[in-house]
Amino acid sequence: MQGIKRKIVYVTLYEAIAIASTTAGLAGLADHDAGAAGIAAVLASATAVVWNLVYNTLFEAWEARQATRGRSLLRRVVHAIGFEGGLVLAIVPMFAWALDTSLVDAFLLDIGLVVFFVLYSFAFNWAFDLVFGLPKAAA
């Protein structure tokens, strides 16, 4: 599977799991109201969808210009960290607003989620590539 179809399937699967995980984490582990946690999760997901499309398009364009093909462990780690790093800048203020908390508390919540999502992104991308194959840029 390639092109826009691959991106749509990727984003849909990734974000469905992400919303469920974030809502459960914010409601259960961070002791926030489930409704507010759900709103924060959906807002973060919408932001992540846009960022995902932009980031992966840029990453694959860069990847296509590289002499080394495939996705090594290092390339996968760089991909996951870059993606999550970009989200921190957008999600912290959003969490502060949706969860009615300070920027510091929202940042601490987000750091916990970043650790989870770096691992999740790494595992999801690897599994996705195993199931659907590598994109042309990496093959």
Side-chain angles (χ1 to χ4, degrees):
M1 177 181 352
Q2 297 295 324
I4 192 70
K5 183 177 179 184
R6 177 185 175 84
K7 287 177 175 38
I8 290 169
V9 170
Y10 175 96
V11 169
T12 302
L13 289 173
Y14 186 96
E15 293 305 324
I17 295 167
I19 289 171
S21 299
T22 302
T23 299
L26 291 174
L29 300 175
D31 198 31
H32 285 281
D33 173 74
I39 289 169
V42 169
L43 289 172
S45 177
T47 301
V49 166
V50 172
W51 176 234
N52 193 316
L53 290 171
V54 169
Y55 182 78
N56 283 317
T57 298
L58 295 172
F59 187 86
E60 288 176 14
W62 169 84
E63 189 173 45
R65 294 188 310 270
Q66 302 310 301
T68 304
R69 306 316 262 171
R71 290 192 174 167
S72 66
L73 178 62
L74 178 60
R75 192 171 286 185
R76 290 178 185 280
V77 168
V78 168
H79 179 271
I81 291 171
F83 177 78
E84 293 304 325
L87 282 180
V88 169
L89 297 174
I91 289 179
V92 168
M94 189 182 315
F95 276 1
W97 172 78
L99 299 172
D100 194 28
T101 191
S102 71
L103 286 172
V104 172
D105 287 343
F107 178 74
L108 294 174
L109 282 173
D110 195 46
I111 292 302
L113 288 173
V114 165
V115 170
F116 167 76
F117 275 99
V118 166
L119 299 173
Y120 168 62
S121 293
F122 178 84
F124 182 89
N125 281 297
W126 199 329
F128 189 88
D129 288 346
L130 286 174
V131 172
F132 295 102
L134 290 174
K136 287 180 185 176

